[in-house]
Amino acid sequence: KAGVPIVLVSTIFDGSHFQIQVSDELEMSTYPTRSEEMIRNAERVLQAAEVMICQAPRQWVVPHSVWPDAALELPGSVS
């Protein structure tokens, strides 16, 4: 809604130093429905995150649900 780009930032620890990674700016796109907009834009962000995660997959962790309410919108979810 704000019309601002998203930038992903992460770090990789090489044993003695942290390297900071910054994605290109990701502009969010509009689509006919809010549902399609959320899914397609989330997929774009996740593609950028995947590139970062693949560089050091053992350093990646999400100890809790980031968007707990979003799970109810997933196909096959049980409410």
Side-chain angles (χ1 to χ4, degrees), residues 5-61:
I6 290 178
V7 177
L8 301 179
V9 179
S10 70
T11 60
I12 295 176
F13 185 65
D14 68 9
S16 60
H17 299 91
F18 284 96
Q19 297 176 354
I20 298 174
Q21 303 179 99
V22 180
S23 74
D24 292 335
E25 290 183 351
L26 302 169
E27 297 285 341
M28 298 296 98
S29 300
T30 57
Y31 293 91
T33 67
R34 178 75 172 139
S35 177
E36 182 178 8
E37 190 171 293
M38 289 175 59
I39 291 168
R40 289 187 182 232
N41 283 317
E43 288 172 347
R44 291 185 61 230
V45 172
L46 291 173
Q47 285 175 342
E50 180 181 20
V51 171
M52 293 178 167
I53 292 167
C54 286
Q55 292 183 34
R58 292 177 183 238
Q59 294 181 27
W60 175 255
V61 65

